[in-house]
Amino acid sequence: MTAGALVGIIVGVAIFLLFCIWFLGRGGTPSTPKPKAGQRVCGGCQRVMLPAWTKCLFCGWAPAARLEFILGPMANQVLVLAEEVTTIGSVAGNTVVLADPAVSRKHAGIRKVESNYELADFGSTNGVYVNGQKVPKKTLEPGDIIRVGNTEAVFKRE
């Protein structure tokens, strides 16, 4: 192999590496278009998702729901609803433990049902309120305000 061929190979490899670094730095691949305003993007593979999809059809990622506490002892905290059932009560063993005399030992639960989240009162003394109305059971919508005892949280989805 001649010196000129060796220099050509080295220069070619260097140009290829610079192209790879530039390409990765711009944050995308040709098959991953940049999302337009208002489009949902998968949190796993970063592909654009159709509005009707409850999970990404490419990688299986599903958006998580969360409670953002706005009043009570957990104010300014966020709880991601990662479990199949999230329980709320005043004793240890619940997912959310609220030291509040208005909260029953096993007060309420939030259960993931397919792509929805369902809040249910477990027969508590003081009830569960959603948007100011006492409910025994309700499928939660983004923005719903849940009150258990003196604690309020906003239900949100990604």
Side-chain angles (χ1 to χ4, degrees):
M1 183 177 289
T2 66
L6 187 57
V7 168
I9 291 172
I10 292 172
V11 169
V13 168
I15 290 171
F16 175 75
L17 289 174
L18 287 173
F19 174 76
C20 289
I21 291 168
W22 169 80
F23 184 72
L24 292 173
R26 64 182 260 272
T29 64
S31 63
T32 308
K34 297 285 185 196
K36 296 180 177 118
Q39 286 183 321
R40 287 180 43 208
V41 177
C42 172
C45 66
Q46 301 301 310
R47 293 184 181 174
V48 175
M49 295 173 53
L50 293 178
W53 294 358
T54 57
K55 67 178 183 176
C56 179
L57 298 183
F58 300 107
C59 71
W61 175 86
R66 64 188 184 276
L67 294 178
E68 294 183 1
F69 291 90
I70 55 176
L71 282 177
M74 294 186 67
N76 301 317
Q77 295 183 45
V78 175
L79 173 71
V80 175
L81 301 173
E83 305 292 323
E84 285 297 313
V85 177
T86 300
T87 58
I88 303 168
S90 63
V91 296
N94 288 293
T95 312
V96 178
V97 177
L98 300 172
D100 179 345
V103 176
S104 297
R105 295 163 64 144
K106 296 264 186 193
H107 200 102
I110 300 173
R111 178 174 66 130
K112 186 173 183 179
V113 181
E114 294 178 13
S115 63
N116 294 315
Y117 289 81
E118 186 177 82
L119 172 71
D121 187 338
F122 289 164
S124 66
T125 303
N126 295 316
V128 177
Y129 292 80
V130 177
N131 301 325
Q133 303 222 336
K134 190 173 184 178
V135 295
K137 186 185 261 189
K138 182 180 184 315
T139 300
L140 295 172
E141 299 292 332
D144 279 348
I145 298 175
I146 302 163
R147 182 166 56 88
V148 174
N150 296 309
T151 298
E152 287 189 359
V154 180
F155 175 77
K156 294 192 176 178
R157 297 193 77 142
E158 286 187 358

